[in-house]
Amino acid sequence: MGFNQMMELLFNGLGQTLYMTLVSTFFAYLFGIPLGVILNITSKEGISPCKWLNTLLGVMVNILRSIPFLILLVFVMPLTKIIVGTRIGTSASIVPLVIGAIPFIGRMVESSLNEVDKGVIEASLAMGASKMKIIFKVLLSEAKPSLLIGFSISITTILGYSAMAGFVGGGGLGDIAYQYGYVRNETELMWLTIILLVIIVQIFQELGMLLAKKLDRRINK
Amino acid sequence: MGKAIIKIENLTKDYKVKKEKLRALDNINLEIEEGEIYGIIGLSGAGKSTLIRCMNFLEKPTFGKVFYKGIDLSSLKNKELLKIRQNIGMIFQSFNLLEQRNVLDNVLFPLEIAKVDKKVALKRAYELLEEVGLSDKLYAYPNQLSGGQKQRVAIARALMNNPSVLLCDEATSALDPSTTKQILELLKNINKKYNITIVVITHQMQVIESICSKVAIIDHSQIIEEGEVKDIFINPKSETSKKLILPEIEDEDISKDNIKLRLIFDGNHQEPLISKMILQTKVLVNIIKANVKTLDERTYGEMIILVSNDEVSLFKIENFLLTNNVKYQKED
């Protein structure tokens, strides 16, 4: 394979990986934040304790999290067909990625919100704040730094999952590593994709942490 | 006498802890009048924190009623209750400021909840921050403030809605003595200036003494004494009250040769009484504890002395105390 050809291959793979990761992260958060909020507020110490709902969601989250991603990938194919119209390809791999990431993100958000000082919530209740106000103006905004750290962990985890999507024709860097590196035994290409993946993970992780630190008013003296 | 702004009737609060019922408050009756500073004192675990939370329904009573300005809080719909809460400010031992917001935004928060116009809110925030002496810290974050400063922000925040009542839950317990003094002074001023009724929960007698006009003593979920601070102070009836008023006194090992006398000063004595007593009776006296305070510019307090347990000495001392109108009790 020529150099230009290789570069083009990697460039396309990088594009697909970023596309899968970013779109999946977006949708996973779209569902994951409300899930995390509900898990937090319905817990025993939450602002709207509701045991059955908390238990039900908790069990669902745990079940979904215990399914290996590779199995989930195949398992949700019928659903993928309904939503995207096809079972294979980059866009199709977004569905299992989102489904796999929602419970993970839900737990991350829940644990970030659990860190918010109970006294501050009590003070807000004493001021006459409604539950909605407490969710948006107290829970989510006080937990911002922790949510951002959770975000950088989530996005790198999704990136890792997306590499697996290559196995079902999802494309991306993971696919290249598998197709060329493993099947055709082109080790250089495999190493290149791994290095690229490492760099991307590094960038997401550091950026997230930096942002979290910068926005945290408790550290910024 | 003014009218009751907060009235508590037969309030009982139970908690369920591991399927066992725990009675936090047992048949409490209280009336807090408009404009007064009302203290509720008790040892930790007595139920005072639960009691103050019942006043704004952060905790709902198991039995009994809480009235705010004659309104039965249990009769209100959630929205109406939220409106009432905006009328009752509250401050806490741990300040409970939003850590991701600066001082100004913290103080503005209650008016964001009440949906007050931002311009009006800002004007009020500047005024109150000036009042509590933090005009130069508008853009500082809670993390950058001292405990006293944080409590000042919390006080300004609690006053934003022009409340009629300010509930203080151990508001000075996390502060050092001199900061405590300043915060108490501030609360006293606020009470006078805005005629806000203040309810203070504390375990420190010093807080009650320095700002409260009335006090209730709570012990084991019940109110055991209630009344004017000076009456309770002069003549505490129960063991717990004595322990709270004179916390340092512990039963020391006193030999049988001595007898312990508790002298009570009720504000009528000015001359150096003890010196006089020793000079006149020529009996040696050991002062083991003295606690004298000035309330309303009169001196109150008590002293515990040890006198040799022989009839002659005791007779001389008792005689002196009686002729000088000093109340006393023999303690065991």
Side-chain angles (χ1 to χ4, degrees), chain A residues 117 119-120 122-130 133 137-138 141-142 145 215-221, chain B residues 53 56 58 82 85-86 88 90 92 96-101 109-110 112-113 115 141 143-144 157 161:
Chain A
D117 184 2
V120 178
E122 188 179 41
S124 314
L125 284 168
M127 282 176 222
S130 64
K133 282 256 162 73
K137 295 208 172 235
V138 182
S141 62
E142 283 290 294
L215 288 175
D216 193 351
R217 304 307 181 186
R218 289 168 300 180
I219 301 165
N220 236 4
K221 293 219 175 188
Chain B
R53 278 165 180 73
N56 59 2
L58 281 178
L82 295 185
R85 279 189 187 153
Q86 292 176 9
I88 304 176
M90 190 166 185
F92 304 84
N96 296 347
L97 300 177
L98 293 146
E99 290 191 61
Q100 303 295 337
R101 285 174 170 236
F109 188 50
E112 260 173 57
I113 293 167
K115 298 194 183 94
Y141 284 88
N143 192 231
Q144 299 161 303
R157 181 174 74 172
N161 269 316

Side-chain angles (χ1 to χ4, degrees), chain B residues 8 47 91-92 96 130 168 196 244 256 285 300:
Chain B
I8 291 175
I91 58 173
F92 304 84
N96 296 347
E130 170 92 54
C168 309
I196 295 176
L244 285 162
K256 284 179 187 146
V285 165
Y300 299 93

Side-chain angles (χ1 to χ4, degrees), chain A residues 2 13 23 47 56 65 73 112 136 155 180:
Chain A
V23 175
I47 53 171
L56 181 76
R65 287 196 61 195
L73 214 57
S112 293
F136 287 103
I155 198 167
Y180 294 84

